[in-house]
Amino acid sequence: MFVFDNSEETKMTVPHPVQCPPKQRALTDEGKKLNLLELIHPNYLTLSMPNQLIFWDYLVFAFYLVIIVSYGYWIYKKKKKNEANSTKNFFLAEGSLTWWAIGASIIASNISAEQFIGMSGDGFFAGIAVAIYEWLGAAVLILVAIFLMPVYIKNRIYTMPQFLTMRYNEQVALIMSIFWLFLYVFVNLTSILYLGALAINGLLGGAYFHEIMMVLALFAIFITLGGMKVIGYTDAIQVAVLIIGGLATTYMALTIVSQNFGLGKNAFAGFNVLLQQAPDHFHLMFKKPTAGAPQEYVDKYLILPAFGMYAAGQWISNLNYWGCNQYITQRALGADLKTARTGILFASLLKILMPVIVMLPGIIAYVLYKNGMLPAMEGQNKDAAYASILTFLPAGLKGLAVAALTAAIVASLAGKANSISTIFTMDVYKKYLNKCADEERMVRTGRIAVVVAMLLSIAFTWNDLLGISGEGGYTFVQKYSSFISPGVLATFLLGMFWKRTSGAAAVVGILTGFAASIFFNQLAVPLLGPETWLYSAFKNSEGVYEIPFFICLGWSFFTTVLVMIGVSLAGPKISPKAFSLDKAMFKLEPSTIILSITTILLLSVIYARFW
């Protein structure tokens, strides 16, 4: 990560663009509520974008497909027959994933179309502030590696419902198993598939949405049926393609900026042009709006509410996602503690790089667009930023960029499908449907679950039955998952680190978190008004008062914790199911300390420069 000096003493002089005269224009979301991913009809992004790929692009993409399929098949064939039919090998790849495979797989599962399309669009609109999702995530991964993984691994936790069973009771685990299955299939899997097909369709002319959806689903099924080991090691290739293709795209885009401003092919000069042409896009915090603040600034604050999101909301969101999510933690649960920690910290380092790949192209698109140099953005909304940048890439590199996008989508689909299969087989099928099922039967059931989950996601995405397009991709996911995250995180953290937390408190906590989220998001302003000591609400683009989402999340979590503590205090001083913790569990290896400090120092440099 490079830090550029933008002080008056060192600021370079940028001449007028050599191709087009400067023309200031603003692409805003007036008249509608700002969503982090305001994606609409499948063909929207392609109305003015013809097929951008030629023979050499297809050749590069085909080469990527052959490499992934061949490598995945080779990994699968290397497994012994008894390994292929072992539940721990199929669902967890127990002991067979290296630290770099774990880290790469975590990133591959995390980065998908919503990052490429959505974060580029948000970079276009709000700038570098949206990188908090990646950079704070890197910090949270350090906490997960140091404090949460020892608890999971010592107690041999393989699924999140299993944690709830061991720490609380079967009822809590079953309720959350069903919730997670519905969430993963009908919210996460469908949104990844929809947004992925939408993104690639935009580069192929807009006429192949359903065909692309089928290919992505089949590709993901092929990888997932091989088990966690195949997923983990193919993810390493997927991440390599994602990073190489993503960085190549960003580098070429920066050289295009420098060329258009008469500075030659120089990526560093191009970055300095961004700093000067869009200084408001290089601040990591939006201060609280004052009276008379422009609506566009208010909209930015509503999604990224300054200190409030750092004080609570973002930490809660990230800790729930990275620490209590089967989809993410499953990669490390089958490893020993040292390997798991190193893999997670490797993922933390990679997270720092992600905004360069998925956010910076949006700022590049903004600078080019406002100076009349990006005709592909004409008539489009902010989420067309990434596809518009790809129009500048030379033959072959577009194919690499599409391969990077496909890698991100397929890896996310495969990871989510494997998590669905694991929870259904181990926490529902084995416990309640067939208690006598042997290893081979469970693996077969897991494979069937993968296919059924993918078919359901296709069925509900085919004509957008769930309304993903109307909600906006990110908003769609948040709407159905965020209401439960305060209760889930409180249940996990208190269950791990406070021995008095009771099973009754867990049930009450999950319900309280849900109720508190509804209250702060929907009812607080009508009942208490727009300005209280708890929050400040602002009118959104539709003229409706809205409390920033991360402020709501913070208060919902705080309320949940207080209620759970109160309920637990009415029970025994130590829960009979409390985990036994000791200092030795949290002892750090030198490599863990070095990786953690390296990540913290890199984040400190970034925040010191762009705060």
Side-chain angles (χ1 to χ4, degrees):
M1 179 63 64
F2 294 91
V3 180
F4 294 84
D5 189 354
N6 195 34
S7 63
E8 290 298 326
E9 292 77 15
T10 60
K11 187 180 292 185
M12 58 187 290
T13 302
V14 180
H16 287 304
V18 296
Q19 294 187 6
C20 304
K23 184 169 67 171
Q24 299 293 327
R25 292 173 296 179
L27 192 69
T28 62
D29 288 280
E30 294 179 4
K32 58 186 177 181
K33 178 180 178 180
L34 174 70
N35 293 325
L36 291 182
L37 266 180
E38 198 135 32
L39 294 169
I40 52 174
H41 188 273
N43 291 328
Y44 182 88
L45 296 181
T46 65
L47 291 176
S48 61
M49 293 184 187
N51 191 337
Q52 302 174 26
L53 306 184
I54 63 173
F55 171 76
W56 294 110
D57 297 310
Y58 288 113
L59 187 63
V60 170
F61 184 74
F63 180 72
Y64 150 74
L65 287 179
V66 170
I67 291 295
I68 290 295
V69 171
S70 301
Y71 184 65
Y73 185 72
W74 179 71
I75 292 292
Y76 178 75
K77 293 300 289 183
K78 278 186 65 179
K79 295 194 296 184
K80 297 178 182 178
K81 186 174 182 181
N82 63 326
E83 289 181 346
N85 292 323
S86 164
T87 54
K88 289 183 179 178
N89 276 285
F90 180 78
F91 296 115
L92 297 166
E94 187 173 39
S96 62
L97 291 184
T98 59
W99 62 266
W100 52 268
I102 291 171
S105 189
I106 287 173
I107 293 299
S109 298
N110 169 239
I111 301 296
S112 190
E114 61 264 35
Q115 275 76 24
F116 274 96
I117 304 303
M119 283 200 71
S120 289
D122 291 327
F124 185 102
F125 177 72
I128 199 173
V130 300
I132 184 176
Y133 296 102
E134 305 300 318
W135 290 334
L136 196 62
V140 166
L141 279 170
I142 296 175
L143 299 180
V144 172
I146 294 175
F147 297 108
L148 271 61
M149 290 313 299
V151 178
Y152 288 141
I153 291 176
K154 180 189 176 182
N155 292 281
R156 301 187 66 79
I157 302 294
Y158 297 129
T159 69
M160 297 300 98
Q162 182 191 352
F163 169 89
L164 296 174
T165 299
M166 291 180 65
R167 181 59 182 84
Y168 296 113
N169 54 58
E170 293 278 359
Q171 291 73 28
V172 175
L174 179 60
I175 291 170
M176 291 309 301
S177 294
I178 295 172
F179 169 78
W180 274 317
L181 286 173
F182 271 85
L183 179 71
Y184 288 170
V185 174
F186 296 106
V187 177
N188 297 113
L189 206 60
T190 54
S191 62
I192 293 170
L193 190 61
Y194 180 87
L195 298 176
L198 178 71
I200 297 176
N201 188 46
L203 301 173
L204 298 179
Y208 307 101
F209 180 72
H210 293 110
E211 292 84 351
I212 293 169
M213 184 189 300
M214 292 294 296
V215 170
L216 290 173
L218 288 172
F219 196 6
I221 288 174
F222 174 81
I223 292 175
T224 311
L225 292 181
M228 191 65 224
K229 186 174 182 179
V230 173
I231 294 172
Y233 281 106
T234 55
D235 278 353
I237 303 294
Q238 306 271 40
V239 165
V241 173
L242 188 158
I243 291 176
I244 293 170
L247 288 178
T249 300
T250 301
Y251 175 82
M252 288 298 299
L254 286 171
T255 62
I256 289 165
V257 171
S258 66
Q259 279 185 292
N260 281 356
F261 282 83
L263 300 171
K265 289 187 175 182
N266 189 320
F268 297 107
F271 188 84
N272 275 304
V273 170
L274 301 185
L275 290 174
Q276 295 175 47
Q277 288 286 309
D280 57 321
H281 277 55
F282 286 92
H283 295 292
L284 283 165
M285 285 184 62
F286 295 113
K287 296 180 181 179
K288 186 176 179 179
T290 58
Q295 185 60 51
E296 181 177 320
Y297 185 87
V298 173
D299 287 338
K300 293 177 182 179
Y301 179 81
L302 286 173
I303 59 171
L304 299 165
F307 182 73
M309 64 180 176
Y310 286 95
Q314 274 283 357
W315 290 99
I316 296 164
S317 177
N318 274 283
L319 277 169
N320 179 67
Y321 179 82
W322 295 107
C324 311
N325 189 344
Q326 181 73 30
Y327 176 44
I328 297 298
T329 57
Q330 185 167 339
R331 276 99 183 102
L333 294 179
D336 61 84
L337 181 58
K338 181 179 179 181
T339 303
R341 274 178 164 169
T342 306
I344 292 172
L345 292 173
F346 176 54
S348 177
L349 281 172
L350 292 179
K351 286 291 286 180
I352 296 177
L353 185 63
M354 289 302 108
V356 178
I357 296 172
V358 299
M359 179 275 301
L360 195 56
I363 301 179
I364 294 171
Y366 172 79
V367 169
L368 291 175
Y369 178 81
K370 79 167 190 172
N371 285 286
M373 303 172 184
L374 195 58
M377 282 294 292
E378 293 290 347
Q380 305 286 358
N381 79 342
K382 63 187 176 67
D383 291 317
Y386 193 81
S388 298
I389 287 295
L390 295 187
T391 61
F392 285 111
L393 300 185
L397 192 52
K398 287 180 185 175
L400 182 60
V402 175
L405 185 58
T406 304
I409 296 163
V410 171
S412 292
L413 286 171
K416 189 66 72 178
N418 183 262
S419 295
I420 292 166
S421 171
T422 302
I423 291 177
F424 175 78
T425 304
M426 300 181 75
D427 295 297
V428 178
Y429 177 78
K430 175 67 173 175
K431 287 185 177 180
Y432 300 101
L433 302 180
N434 188 353
K435 295 182 179 181
C436 299
D438 58 16
E439 295 273 300
E440 186 174 350
R441 178 76 182 198
M442 289 176 68
V443 170
R444 185 162 62 249
T445 300
R447 290 190 171 119
I448 293 172
V450 168
V451 176
V452 171
M454 203 66 72
L455 289 175
L456 283 172
S457 69
I458 292 172
F460 280 84
T461 309
W462 194 263
N463 290 317
D464 194 18
L465 295 179
L466 299 175
I468 301 174
S469 61
E471 295 282 356
Y474 181 85
T475 304
F476 175 79
V477 175
Q478 291 294 328
K479 178 178 178 180
Y480 293 100
S481 61
S482 64
F483 289 115
I484 203 72
S485 59
V488 170
L489 180 61
T491 299
F492 271 73
L493 292 183
L494 289 177
M496 286 182 184
F497 302 111
W498 192 40
K499 293 185 177 182
R500 192 162 185 167
T501 311
S502 64
V507 175
V508 173
I510 291 171
L511 295 176
T512 299
F514 182 75
S517 295
I518 292 177
F519 174 79
F520 283 107
N521 280 282
Q522 307 291 337
L523 304 175
V525 173
L527 293 176
L528 304 178
E531 189 73 34
T532 71
W533 66 273
L534 293 172
Y535 60 80
S536 294
F538 299 89
K539 286 186 177 180
N540 58 28
S541 296
E542 297 175 347
V544 178
Y545 276 105
E546 180 181 339
I547 304 172
F549 169 74
F550 287 113
I551 303 296
C552 295
L553 194 59
W555 282 117
S556 298
F557 177 75
F558 182 70
T559 303
T560 302
V561 169
L562 287 180
V563 171
M564 288 186 67
I565 290 174
V567 173
S568 296
L569 288 175
K573 289 186 176 181
I574 297 180
S575 169
K577 285 197 161 189
F579 290 142
S580 176
L581 305 180
D582 58 77
K583 291 183 179 180
M585 291 172 56
F586 304 101
K587 184 179 179 180
L588 301 181
E589 298 280 343
S591 59
T592 301
I593 297 173
I594 292 171
L595 284 170
S596 300
I597 291 176
T598 301
T599 301
I600 292 170
L601 288 176
L602 287 172
L603 290 172
S604 298
V605 170
I606 292 169
Y607 272 82
R609 174 60 184 87
F610 294 112
W611 186 260

